[in-house]
Amino acid sequence: MTNTELLRSAQDYAARRSLEVNDAMRLGYGNDGAVWLTNMQTAIKAFARIDNYRIELECYQRFRNEKITHIRGFEVPQLIDFDNELAVIEMSVVKPPFLLDFGKVHLDKRPDFPAESLQEWRDEMKELWEGHWPEVRLLLAALERYGIYYLDAKPRNIMFAPSS
């Protein structure tokens, strides 16, 4: 889906709920979709792929059912509403430290990667996260307790509080 198609989905969703959104309000864009801030200070994410939408929605529903707002001190967006037809999720806006973007997780079953690939991934993560890697590892382990195997551990998705 193009950015224009994703924006159209977000605007259709917004119109159905008396919200406003436009491209100047875009918070982020990636392979999975795009996110916009609404006039009511919520975020609307329109998905490019239905599979990513379903997986992310399932994660937010698990968090809501378990009354989870934070995991190891990282805020997770709260599900406000969704639209299966448009593949759009409306959620709360979060501030650092936060954890977001659950479209690429594996649910309920650990991915079966070869040991060599896992070691490569760990080495990459250790280098990427430097001194924060131990905390990121604990965060990923905490997610696994909810059947969420998080694969998109990058600084744009896991943000620490700014240093003072």
Side-chain angles (χ1 to χ4, degrees):
M1 276 185 130
T2 66
N3 184 54
T4 302
E5 292 168 319
L6 292 169
L7 177 59
R8 189 174 308 115
S9 291
Q11 288 174 325
D12 287 351
Y13 174 91
R16 293 176 184 182
R17 285 158 179 82
S18 300
L19 298 169
E20 294 176 23
V21 66
N22 63 56
D23 207 32
M25 302 162 87
R26 189 169 68 186
L27 296 173
Y29 181 84
N31 293 332
D32 299 333
V35 182
W36 292 268
L37 183 66
T38 72
N39 63 315
M40 297 303 290
Q41 300 304 299
T42 61
I44 293 176
K45 184 171 184 178
F47 289 79
R49 297 181 198 92
I50 196 68
D51 288 343
N52 296 110
Y53 163 75
R54 288 184 180 133
I55 290 168
E56 189 151 332
L57 178 59
E58 174 67 24
C59 290
Y60 288 127
Q61 288 172 326
R62 287 179 188 199
F63 296 147
R64 182 172 61 189
N65 291 342
E66 296 289 329
K67 297 179 176 42
I68 295 168
T69 60
H70 292 76
I71 299 174
R72 294 199 52 82
F74 289 80
E75 187 176 8
V76 293
Q78 300 300 292
L79 178 65
I80 294 172
D81 204 355
F82 60 94
D83 188 304
N84 289 326
E85 177 189 340
L86 295 169
V88 169
I89 294 175
E90 182 181 1
M91 64 194 90
S92 64
V93 175
V94 293
K95 294 180 181 167
F98 63 69
L99 168 66
L100 46 81
D101 202 355
F102 296 90
K104 292 181 179 134
V105 306
H106 281 242
L107 293 172
D108 301 322
K109 185 174 183 240
R110 183 181 303 280
D112 188 22
F113 295 124
E116 184 179 292
S117 296
L118 280 175
Q119 188 56 50
E120 260 180 49
W121 179 81
R122 284 187 197 102
D123 292 344
E124 287 174 18
M125 291 294 105
K126 191 173 181 180
E127 186 177 322
L128 174 67
W129 288 104
E130 298 175 346
H132 287 298
W133 177 231
E135 180 62 23
V136 171
R137 282 180 48 211
L138 291 170
L139 180 60
L140 299 177
L143 284 168
E144 290 178 12
R145 288 193 285 274
Y146 301 101
I148 298 171
Y149 297 89
Y150 195 85
L151 303 177
D152 207 12
K154 55 189 171 194
R156 192 173 66 208
N157 296 338
I158 301 172
M159 188 167 291
F160 284 81
S163 302
S164 30

